[in-house]
Amino acid sequence: MGDIARQAPEKDTGEDIYQYLLERITNLENRNLELREQFRQMESEKRYVETQKIRYERELRKLKSEIEQLRSPPLVIGTVTDVIDNSRVIVRSSAGPRFLVRTSQLIDPDLLKPGVRCTLNQQSLAIVDVLPTSYDAQIYGMELVESPEENYENIGGLEAQIEEIREAVELPLTKPQLFEKVGISPPKGVLLYGPPGTGKTLLARAVAHQTNAHFLRVVGSELVQKYIGEGARLVRELFDLAKQKAPSIIFIDEIDAIGAHRNDSTTSGDREVQRTLMQLLAEMDGFDNRGDVKIVAATNRIDILDRALLRPGRFDRMIEIPLPDHQGRLAILKIHTQHMSIGEDVNLAEVSRLTEGKNGADLRAICMEAGMFAIRMERDTVNSEDFLKAIDKLSVDFDRHHFHTTFGEMFA
Ligand SMILES: Nc1ncnc2c1ncn2[C@@H]1O[C@H](COP(=O)(O)OP(=O)(O)OP(=O)(O)O)[C@@H](O)[C@H]1O
């Protein structure tokens, strides 16, 4: 640069100017050559970067689609039996057969050793994830509460049912000697049945609270749908965990999902449900009813339950949890308004009369909605107008939901 920018000579004789220009031309030509060379190098660098970019983009797309493919549920569970090389292993699926499967690049090959449990894509059977070796209740969506907070005072309108469950579950846990002295066996399992939202879960949690027992909740449909082929194993682990944590109460919600009576169809889904049910029956049969683990199940569909579940020594005590009547609704409304600041004009008996056919969950929602109306109006007490608006709003919501469900079912 210094050469090119050199100042013209002061003495401007013709010879000097000629020399100066000649030198300048040579310099500029050299510089031009240098720049051309740099340009050529940069061009080839650019081409290299561009091809790299295309390669990375292709790899990114491949990995993204691999992730999507691998992550899509449901997943099958298997155990690695042999490792062939870094990308292929033999896995025994929990349903029985063995497969030679590919592993994802996202999985550290060091983790894949014989005996390790893993999840497999249902279609490609590629390994998606490696499961921890130690037992983890949360993986399976089990709810484990040390001692739930709900107590009998939180339950409205179910006095007779509370009495029954106390006899069937609480007494054998707190006073087992009574049963021994009289020489009778306490019931093994209790089945709560009735429409949704009427307090079945609440009741089971309250018994666990009263007896200081661990509360273990599983949902029947999740047992068979979350990890295919794992239902039976989950039932076994559920009972093991309950024994470990005793005194404990196992609560199986939606038991109809595994305990519906069997028909002749033999799809793999049906077989899975049957295996899970057989395991549950086996666990219950091999169980000491004088022990400190109690089983409570709930269903909205007692009509479809397999009779095998209801035989003596299984769910042999059935308690109906019906929709609340007027007095029941009043009791539930009192419970859900006890911490609310309610105006003197509010007549809960009237609210109960206006909510015929509603369940406990609806009544709780009405109380909360009435509170929201008061907050929107910047009032600190809830008046009867708020309750009327809340009942209206929830009835409209209910009708809309009902309409969508019915409409959806028509086209399903
Ligand atoms: N009898 C009741 N007394 C007080 N609150 C109730 C009662 N029934 C229902 N609720 C309220 O509704 C909520 C939902 O009820 P819960 O889950 O116990 O019903 P469920 O019968 O188990 O319903 P599902 O069959 O849909 O599982 C409860 O947490 C509680 O706040």
Side-chain angles (χ1 to χ4, degrees):
M1 245 355 235
D3 288 346
I4 299 167
R6 218 176 73 187
Q7 293 291 304
E10 272 158 29
K11 268 202 251 159
D12 51 357
T13 62
E15 182 63 14
D16 282 346
I17 291 175
Y18 175 70
Q19 276 306 323
Y20 163 70
L21 289 175
L22 210 61
E23 209 179 308
R24 197 145 183 232
I25 287 169
T26 322
N27 281 342
L28 282 171
E29 273 175 346
N30 287 341
R31 180 69 187 145
N32 189 24
L33 277 177
E34 245 173 62
L35 286 172
R36 269 167 184 265
E37 178 56 21
Q38 272 180 22
F39 176 71
R40 210 185 47 74
Q41 271 181 17
M42 283 167 95
E43 273 279 297
S44 84
E45 262 173 37
K46 187 178 151 218
R47 270 198 304 280
Y48 174 71
V49 170
E50 274 173 348
T51 47
Q52 283 288 85
K53 184 178 161 232
I54 292 169
R55 262 187 48 206
Y56 284 134
E57 278 176 346
R58 202 178 300 143
E59 196 163 85
L60 186 70
R61 270 201 305 277
K62 214 177 86 195
L63 288 174
K64 271 190 180 160
S65 79
E66 192 180 342
I67 289 176
E68 240 156 63
Q69 221 184 39
L70 296 179
R71 290 262 151 89
S72 56
L75 304 168
V76 178
I77 296 210
T79 309
V80 176
T81 56
D82 276 299
V83 178
I84 309 289
D85 54 37
N86 271 0
S87 62
R88 292 175 310 159
V89 296
I90 296 180
V91 170
R92 184 195 304 281
S93 83
S94 47
R98 296 205 311 158
F99 299 99
L100 174 67
V101 303
R102 299 204 158 271
T103 77
S104 156
Q105 284 178 31
L106 305 170
I107 292 177
D108 179 357
D110 290 344
L111 293 178
L112 288 171
K113 296 197 179 85
V116 160
R117 285 173 11 103
C118 54
T119 50
L120 311 167
N121 178 293
Q122 197 194 356
Q123 267 144 26
S124 67
L125 290 178
I127 295 187
V128 179
D129 219 344
V130 173
L131 292 178
T133 36
S134 64
Y135 175 77
D136 182 353
Q138 274 178 351
I139 300 178
Y140 304 113
M142 273 183 212
E143 183 188 328
L144 174 64
V145 187
E146 220 172 285
S147 173
E149 283 174 7
E150 289 86 348
N151 56 41
Y152 297 134
E153 275 95 73
N154 299 124
I155 307 173
L158 296 176
E159 289 75 17
Q161 287 83 351
I162 292 176
E163 236 4 87
E164 275 193 74
I165 204 164
R166 292 189 74 164
E167 258 177 34
V169 182
E170 193 184 314
L171 219 52
L173 279 176
T174 52
K175 298 195 175 119
Q177 70 280 8
L178 280 184
F179 289 83
E180 267 163 43
K181 273 193 198 138
V182 179
I184 54 163
S185 300
K188 239 183 207 178
V190 175
L191 179 72
L192 307 177
Y193 68 98
T198 44
K200 296 184 284 298
T201 311
L202 195 60
L203 194 54
R205 292 175 74 95
V207 189
H209 168 92
Q210 197 70 21
T211 49
N212 267 325
H214 275 94
F215 179 75
L216 270 118
R217 174 176 177 264
V218 286
V219 181
S221 55
E222 283 179 11
L223 276 181
V224 285
Q225 282 163 12
K226 205 158 184 185
Y227 292 113
I228 298 158
E230 279 292 274
R233 182 191 165 108
L234 288 186
V235 168
R236 216 168 36 241
E237 292 196 348
L238 172 69
F239 277 77
D240 284 350
L241 189 64
K243 282 176 216 159
Q244 238 180 63
K245 301 275 180 191
S248 54
I249 289 175
I250 297 178
F251 180 64
I252 309 175
D253 211 349
E254 293 178 25
I255 192 160
D256 42 283
I258 50 168
H261 50 77
R262 283 160 272 180
N263 49 28
D264 295 334
S265 60
T266 46
T267 63
S268 60
D270 289 339
R271 282 199 298 275
E272 164 71 2
V273 168
Q274 266 178 38
R275 265 197 304 269
T276 310
L277 176 61
M278 298 317 276
Q279 187 64 40
L280 175 65
L281 297 179
E283 291 290 345
M284 288 188 83
D285 291 347
F287 211 64
D288 177 9
N289 26 0
R290 287 162 211 249
D292 43 11
V293 176
K294 294 285 157 209
I295 312 154
V296 179
T299 180
N300 306 323
R301 296 291 316 271
I302 190 156
D303 55 310
I304 60 164
L305 276 197
D306 193 321
R307 299 290 116 185
L309 268 172
L310 310 178
R311 272 196 218 125
R314 292 172 181 169
F315 290 102
D316 46 10
R317 183 68 69 96
M318 292 193 277
I319 305 178
E320 183 181 5
I321 314 289
L323 275 178
D325 60 6
H326 170 67
Q327 286 306 329
R329 289 194 300 278
L330 182 57
I332 296 172
L333 286 166
K334 282 186 183 156
I335 289 168
H336 289 290
T337 51
Q338 65 186 338
H339 300 299
M340 288 169 67
S341 123
I342 299 288
E344 278 179 7
D345 64 329
V346 175
N347 179 350
L348 289 181
E350 185 56 22
V351 177
S352 160
R353 262 187 291 279
L354 292 171
T355 48
E356 201 179 332
K358 298 270 182 277
N359 62 27
D362 297 332
L363 294 171
R364 183 182 70 160
I366 286 171
C367 295
M368 273 179 54
E369 199 54 53
M372 287 311 296
F373 276 116
I375 289 173
R376 269 179 224 133
M377 302 304 286
E378 298 189 2
R379 268 186 277 107
D380 48 20
T381 50
V382 186
N383 63 27
S384 94
E385 182 74 20
D386 297 326
F387 273 96
L388 293 180
K389 284 200 274 187
I391 295 170
D392 257 13
K393 181 168 188 288
L394 269 117
S395 301
V396 173
D397 285 353
F398 175 79
D399 288 345
R400 198 179 297 140
H401 172 76
H402 188 66
F403 171 77
H404 282 307
T405 321
T406 322
F407 204 65
E409 273 166 9
M410 277 167 66
F411 289 94

